[in-house]
Amino acid sequence: MQIVNCDVDLPPLKPQGLNESLGGFRPKSKTMKERYSEEQILRILSEASSGKSLADILREYGIAAPTFYRWRNKYGGLDGSELRRVRELEAENARLKCIVAD
């Protein structure tokens, strides 16, 4: 039996999709929960509140209506600074839980 050398230089994988309005390429291998950052979600919600039709937003960003409404319930009243504060509080709570657990 002959051993085959598998050290072949393969070209890099090409991204599957392009969404320029959200900062570039989005690989299809990511799960839906990881597809958009919280800042991007806030930008999508601000487009909806500025009067753009929901059907256009859903089509442009490739999201389902239940996803949009879930985002609206979670992030609807937040702006960028409030989002940072929420993240800081979540990190502090996680750190305190670790201290209490020890």
Side-chain angles (χ1 to χ4, degrees):
M1 178 180 268
Q2 186 177 2
I3 298 177
V4 178
N5 185 3
C6 292
D7 294 333
V8 178
D9 290 332
L10 297 174
L13 294 175
K14 293 181 182 177
Q16 299 295 318
L18 175 63
N19 194 338
E20 292 179 12
S21 63
L22 290 179
F25 290 100
R26 298 280 172 231
K28 290 192 179 214
S29 63
K30 283 190 165 192
T31 63
M32 294 307 279
K33 289 184 184 271
E34 299 175 12
R35 188 169 180 182
Y36 297 109
S37 69
E38 291 172 327
E39 289 84 8
Q40 292 169 332
I41 293 171
L42 288 177
R43 195 171 339 143
I44 292 169
L45 293 175
S46 69
E47 284 184 26
S49 64
S50 68
K52 191 171 182 180
S53 76
L54 182 59
D56 289 340
I57 292 172
L58 299 179
R59 186 175 28 255
E60 180 180 347
Y61 296 107
I63 58 174
T67 301
F68 175 82
Y69 291 117
R70 185 174 56 246
W71 289 350
R72 192 177 68 179
N73 287 337
K74 185 173 183 181
Y75 301 108
L78 298 179
D79 63 0
S81 61
E82 292 172 339
L83 181 62
R84 279 190 294 279
R85 181 66 182 146
V86 168
R87 273 196 223 140
E88 290 171 1
L89 289 172
E90 288 173 349
E92 183 179 356
N93 286 341
R95 194 178 72 248
L96 290 173
K97 284 181 182 179
C98 291
I99 292 172
V100 171
D102 292 340

